[in-house]
Amino acid sequence: QVQLVESGGGLVQPGGSLRLSCAASGSISSIFGMGWYRQAPGKQRELVASISGGRTNYQDFVKGRFTISRDNAKNAVYLQMNSLKPEDTAVYYCNSNIGTLTSGPRNYWGQGTQVTVSS
């Protein structure tokens, strides 16, 4: 009933920038929070940044480099990534807690988008 679709990943050189987008669609009644996670090869999935009620939260390893924002009218969340480093290479996943017309809040994941930082 609910889908999260990410876009914007790709290959970028160290120091470069990328902007990830994620749009939620379906029988949505309320979105309670949205965020971005990432998973590098051989590592666990980890939170990168989240936004809820206008408040943002960043992990220390992206503070000052990444910016999360949200467009409530489009049910979308964005991640502007600047000053990218090779260690930022990972699959980035959109995550959101969404209520639908027929159920209470549930956690949803996007399919992931690959970000590769390499010269």
Side-chain angles (χ1 to χ4, degrees), residues 29-51:
S29 60
S30 299
I31 298 180
F32 297 93
M34 304 187 86
W36 290 94
Y37 286 70
R38 71 186 187 186
Q39 188 167 20
K43 295 187 176 181
Q44 289 189 331
R45 192 173 297 188
E46 61 183 357
L47 174 67
V48 175
S50 63
I51 183 167

Side-chain angles (χ1 to χ4, degrees), residues 10-18 83-90 114-119:
L11 172 65
V12 64
Q13 292 186 341
S17 299
L18 283 175
S83 302
L84 283 160
K85 305 175 181 179
E87 51 264 43
D88 293 318
T89 295
Q114 177 70 47
V115 171
T116 302
V117 184
S118 175
S119 54

